Amino acid sequence: MITELRLFDFKNFQDATLRLGPFTVVVGTNASGKSNIRDAFRFLHGIGRGYTLADIIGGRYGAGGQSEWAQMRGAASEIIRFGETSFEMRVKLLVAKEFPEQTLPSTAEYSIQVEKTDHGRGGFRVYFEQLKVDWETIYTSHPGADDPMEAQDDEAHLQIRMAKTGSQKKFGTKVTALADQPALSQIGEFRTIVRHHKGRAQEVIDIFAGIRFLDLVPELMRKPAFPGQLVLGDSGENLPTVLQEICQDDGRKDVLLQWIKELTPIDVVDFEFPRDPVTGLVQLALKQRDGHPVSAYSASDGTLRFLAMLAALLGKNPAKLYFFEEIDNGIHPSRLKLLLDLIEGQTAKSGVQVITTTHSPDLLSMIGDSTFQNTSVVFRPEKADHSVIRPVTNLPSASRLREEQGLGRLHASGWLEDVLAFNADAEPATTE
């Protein structure tokens, strides 16, 4: 679970920290930088997939020329804040306990600094990288002045010092990683690195690799799917076959039906998955109590979006973190509370995280107390060259005013931005 993301000179953020919980909500005006937060998580996801910096930033193509990864939004040089030569990310995560007697998970902190270079692939290299778990530095590229490890002056490589093991008296193992790819995804390739250190690195890789970005498109969700496709596409592709797999488990099917009955006035009692007699593709239909089926082609956009979110949360092997832009899109205001109940309930008990951006005052008025603790506002001060991220709970009197007026009303009136504009010269909030 990711608990915090801190950005230094990444896109339009000079020094900004996003606090995360099971369900995290991000608000802000247009062009404030909300989508740049999504890009930061895409960067982490690219690390988890083992990509090079050139792949992550510029896009990746398979051996057959097919696109496997879309390039980051904007020009490559714009990933670093204007006027700077590097950006840094620091990520705090909860990972497996180090010792059985621990009552809480261990805390990991992963840091990476990427700088421009005239050498190597893609014009970028990793200059600094470090992974710490609790008190132990698993590896670092900059171990300190008392370490004889060479200075990082080879732009093609990054020297890495591992933590000492029981047989090492002063210094841990030194390895040389390629600088055009995060060392985190190279650790497993070195035979000299002990299993424990590889395992800690793999835990972080798995969390980053488990990030998904869903931008649901009703037209694609209506389409039939090839039998056996059990992964929901980023735009909602394969919805029929993912729901079909869920319905094979009576427990998950009952949950699915319960939620969809709450959402729609249609008296849904079951799902049907007829096959096209010519193509063999699986279609989706909602069976009503009178026996009449409602096909996906006739279902509303909001119903399909809700079904896709249910499929993501209830499906086989769900992601560790889902990122939505404007999760309320296509959902009627009267059904937003149902959507929030679903997400807050599922994330609380399943360990899956959800992050969403929103412009909806209605949604903000309905979030629960725990989600309120993990709601942040992105704001770009007038005439400033950077944006800030602030937890709403840190704004003066925010909790009291939420009780009196509702967070949605405060958002719609511009109060969040007004408070931040008044305090534009305040020091950035950190958790350190």
Side-chain angles (χ1 to χ4, degrees), residues 225-407:
F226 194 85
Q229 293 287 350
L230 304 182
V231 177
L232 187 71
D234 290 344
S235 299
E237 301 93 335
N238 303 326
L239 179 61
T241 47
V242 174
L243 290 175
Q244 186 179 39
E245 187 278 327
I246 293 172
C247 289
Q248 291 171 359
D249 180 310
D250 290 341
R252 287 186 293 154
K253 180 180 179 179
D254 287 345
V255 173
L256 184 64
L257 282 169
Q258 194 173 21
W259 282 107
I260 202 65
K261 286 177 182 178
E262 291 284 339
L263 171 73
T264 175
I266 301 173
D267 192 7
V268 179
V269 295
D270 204 352
F271 292 92
E272 293 182 342
F273 304 97
R275 287 203 182 192
D276 186 288
V278 177
T279 65
L281 298 181
V282 178
Q283 303 176 69
L284 169 64
L286 284 67
K287 184 179 180 181
Q288 300 182 91
R289 188 171 298 279
D290 62 6
H292 180 70
V294 177
S295 73
Y297 296 102
S298 298
S300 69
D301 290 358
T303 297
L304 291 173
R305 288 180 62 85
F306 199 94
L307 277 172
M309 293 178 208
L310 281 165
L313 294 172
L314 299 175
K316 192 174 183 179
N317 301 320
K320 289 180 169 57
L321 186 154
Y322 289 102
F323 196 110
F324 294 88
E325 288 200 273
E326 299 184 30
I327 201 169
D328 48 282
N329 244 351
I331 305 295
H332 192 275
S334 67
R335 294 295 185 264
L336 276 179
K337 185 63 170 70
L338 185 66
L339 174 65
L340 289 173
D341 288 345
L342 167 68
I343 295 173
E344 290 178 337
Q346 287 297 122
T347 55
K349 68 183 181 183
S350 69
V352 173
Q353 288 184 272
V354 172
I355 304 172
T356 185
T357 61
T358 187
H359 290 290
S360 170
D362 292 322
L363 184 145
L364 291 174
S365 294
M366 299 174 191
I367 60 174
D369 291 342
S370 60
T371 303
F372 176 61
Q373 295 297 319
N374 296 300
T375 297
S376 292
V377 57
V378 183
F379 174 70
R380 185 162 188 157
E382 187 177 0
K383 299 181 181 179
D385 63 351
H386 65 277
S387 291
V388 298
I389 304 172
R390 295 287 186 272
V392 174
T393 55
N394 285 11
L395 303 184
S397 304
S399 296
R400 177 179 60 81
L401 290 172
R402 174 183 175 237
E403 292 293 329
E404 294 175 356
Q405 301 185 38
L407 185 58

Side-chain angles (χ1 to χ4, degrees), residues 161-214:
R161 178 71 75 190
M162 305 303 300
K164 287 193 304 179
T165 60
S167 60
Q168 295 170 322
K169 294 182 179 179
K170 192 171 183 181
F171 300 110
T173 300
K174 184 186 79 170
V175 296
T176 301
L178 296 173
D180 66 353
Q181 179 179 342
L184 184 71
S185 58
Q186 300 181 62
I187 292 295
E189 301 172 6
F190 294 100
R191 298 179 63 182
T192 54
I193 295 177
V194 299
R195 183 183 301 175
H196 170 68
H197 294 159
K198 288 183 177 181
R200 281 309 198 187
Q202 190 62 49
E203 285 184 83
V204 178
I205 289 171
D206 290 344
I207 292 174
F208 291 168
I211 301 173
R212 289 286 310 276
F213 305 88
L214 296 184

